[in-house]
Amino acid sequence: MIHHLSFPRSQRCLLGLLCLAALAAPLSVGAQKVKEGSFGKAKAGGPLLTREQLRDCMAKQEKVRIESEETLALQTQFEREKAELQRLGGVLKEELAVLDRTSQEAVDQYNAKAAARDRTIDDFEARAPAYNLRVQGLKAQREAFTAACENRRFDEKDEIAIKKGK
């Protein structure tokens, strides 16, 4: 046992401050609140994602984002091609209405244009199933992300660590 009379006053004050600091340190660490983030609107009080679960969710989210952008670009391309095919169909219809059927050359030129449009339509239709599979794959990725991550809470410190490569 340390008797306070055996220490000079300045040492007693220092000893008292050290004791207070030692007692306060665990309180300040325990009092720190976890900064939370979430994918969607998570309910308070539920378990936090582990760092590995968060890493997986962030990877799934990024994959869905990239696939969504690529699929949207393909959709835009398909819509442009479809509009062009419809425009060409209208042009061919107008040409057919005024076509000189007595001229074999005019008929051959019209038939060549119509055949070229038909090949373009066949190509367009042949690519449609692959596009539809891609859309279904994107839907499955979104559902997987939703099931594993949506409305789940995580510690923002883990998110920062993952972004830093830890």
Side-chain angles (χ1 to χ4, degrees):
M1 180 171 172
I2 302 175
H3 193 273
H4 72 280
L5 296 177
S6 63
F7 291 104
R9 181 182 170 126
S10 62
Q11 287 182 343
R12 283 193 313 241
C13 288
L14 181 60
L15 183 62
L17 288 174
L18 288 174
C19 288
L20 284 174
L23 291 173
L27 295 176
S28 65
V29 170
Q32 291 178 353
K33 184 171 171 122
V34 173
K35 287 183 96 179
E36 294 179 8
S38 67
F39 296 104
K41 295 184 179 186
K43 294 179 182 176
L48 293 175
L49 291 171
T50 65
R51 189 174 287 190
E52 283 307 309
Q53 289 171 325
L54 177 59
R55 187 182 321 275
D56 184 53
C57 286
M58 290 172 70
K60 285 178 182 173
Q61 184 180 42
E62 181 65 8
K63 189 173 181 181
V64 167
R65 184 192 65 77
I66 290 169
E67 189 68 25
S68 294
E69 288 175 1
E70 291 173 358
T71 303
L72 181 60
L74 283 174
Q75 179 184 10
T76 302
Q77 178 184 343
F78 267 98
E79 289 171 354
R80 279 194 309 259
E81 289 177 21
K82 181 179 178 182
E84 179 61 12
L85 287 170
Q86 289 173 337
R87 185 192 71 75
L88 287 174
V91 168
L92 285 173
K93 186 175 181 180
E94 290 172 5
E95 286 182 15
L96 182 62
V98 295
L99 180 65
D100 179 8
R101 289 177 172 76
T102 61
S103 168
Q104 186 61 43
E105 185 179 339
V107 170
D108 289 345
Q109 286 177 353
Y110 175 82
N111 286 339
K113 289 179 187 177
R117 179 176 177 264
D118 288 346
R119 284 189 301 275
T120 305
I121 289 172
D122 291 343
D123 178 56
F124 178 85
E125 290 176 346
R127 288 182 288 123
Y131 171 77
N132 290 336
L133 284 174
R134 189 167 187 160
V135 170
Q136 289 173 352
L138 175 59
K139 183 180 177 186
Q141 287 177 8
R142 284 183 178 158
E143 288 172 355
F145 173 79
T146 299
C149 309
E150 190 71 23
N151 299 327
R152 298 282 308 273
R153 299 175 320 121
F154 57 85
D155 188 340
E156 287 182 357
K157 290 179 191 174
D158 288 340
E159 179 184 30
I160 292 167
I162 291 168
K163 287 180 179 178
K164 289 182 178 179
K166 296 180 181 179

